[in-house]
Amino acid sequence: EAQVTQNPRYLITVTGKKLTVTCSQNMNHEYMSWYRQDPGLGLRQIYYSMNVEVTDKGDVPEGYKVSRKEKRNFPLILESPSPNQTSLYFCASVGDRGSDTQYFGPGTRLTVL
Amino acid sequence: AQSVTQLDSQVPVFEEAPVELRCNYSSSVSVYLFWYVQYPNQGLQLLLKYLSGSTLVKGINGFEAEFNKSQTSFHLRKPSVHISDTAEYFCAVSRRGNQGGKLIFGQGTELSVKP
């Protein structure tokens, strides 16, 4: 079954404590993205990756890092989380055409106290 | 740059009534258009997409959308809704030729179907 998995699904942490949200896809997609969803703002892209070792900033990259060491994995790293990063995070993957359907993970709800 | 505006943040409707969720977009280049649905506590699922050809696009669960180039709109419709259609709906665009499929999302519309 084609899927994107994320872990953890829920996370409560404190300001400044480094955390990583993992993302993995089994469709051999080249492109992967991270989005954050906030009420009234829809989803906004944080970072994306075109292939292994190739990443670039999206619309709201401040405070986040990513890496793409393997094609299937695209972890999101918050080196020093702050309360304004409390949000719902989605990982997505897609083939190499703009017309392709993006597949989304189930989401990670992060609360930073 | 592209932008998407969903004109209604919340749409309450009674079961079996028709519904229309409105979406307008702005872009200086050609785009692909998508509607995604997010059920409570779940990720996003594609409802339908417009790539080219017929401007009326049919999707899953009885939904359809019409692309109107002159009005830059892509409204989503269903002739008769069910309680199970209660969810948040997102309109999105992707620039044609944009590899990587970056999606620009609207703010979302909460559809609430009441018995």
Side-chain angles (χ1 to χ4, degrees), chain B residues 16-33:
Chain B
E16 297 184 6
V19 70
E20 178 180 80
L21 306 184
R22 297 179 294 166
C23 172
N24 287 348
Y25 70 94
S26 173
S27 177
S28 58
V29 298
S30 295
V31 295
Y32 300 119
L33 295 153

Side-chain angles (χ1 to χ4, degrees), chain B residues 92-113:
Chain B
V93 301
S94 171
R95 183 169 60 88
R96 282 178 185 268
N98 174 35
Q99 291 185 316
K102 176 181 176 178
L103 289 170
I104 306 297
F105 284 89
Q107 302 90 329
T109 298
E110 284 189 33
L111 176 63
S112 175
V113 181

Side-chain angles (χ1 to χ4, degrees), chain B residues 1-51:
Chain B
Q2 294 80 46
S3 66
V4 178
T5 302
Q6 292 182 239
L7 298 166
D8 307 290
S9 59
Q10 295 179 320
V11 173
V13 64
F14 287 106
E15 194 175 18
E16 297 184 6
V19 70
E20 178 180 80
L21 306 184
R22 297 179 294 166
C23 172
N24 287 348
Y25 70 94
S26 173
S27 177
S28 58
V29 298
S30 295
V31 295
Y32 300 119
L33 295 153
F34 304 82
W35 274 99
Y36 282 85
V37 60
Q38 183 181 27
Y39 298 106
N41 299 313
Q42 294 187 27
L44 278 75
Q45 177 183 357
L46 180 72
L47 266 181
L48 49 79
K49 60 182 176 182
Y50 173 76
L51 305 180

Side-chain angles (χ1 to χ4, degrees), chain B residues 76-88:
Chain B
L76 181 70
R77 301 186 183 100
K78 186 170 182 177
S80 176
V81 294
H82 302 290
I83 298 286
S84 59
D85 292 324
T86 294
E88 187 156 23

Side-chain angles (χ1 to χ4, degrees), chain A residues 9-73:
Chain A
R9 293 289 312 278
Y10 302 91
L11 180 59
I12 300 174
T13 189
V14 296
T15 298
K17 186 176 181 181
K18 181 180 178 179
L19 65 92
T20 299
V21 183
T22 64
C23 172
S24 183
Q25 51 98 0
N26 64 0
M27 295 164 280
N28 202 37
H29 284 160
E30 287 81 8
Y31 293 88
M32 299 183 74
S33 295
W34 277 102
Y35 293 86
R36 60 177 289 172
Q37 181 183 2
D38 300 291
L41 297 177
L43 282 79
R44 295 174 293 167
Q45 192 184 56
I46 303 170
Y47 266 95
Y48 64 99
S49 168
M50 291 77 80
N51 213 322
V52 174
E53 303 292 3
V54 184
T55 64
D56 206 349
K57 297 177 181 178
D59 298 318
V60 288
E62 294 76 21
Y64 304 94
K65 283 177 56 177
V66 292
S67 69
R68 187 96 180 269
K69 293 184 168 48
E70 303 168 283
K71 195 171 186 180
R72 63 184 290 121
N73 297 323

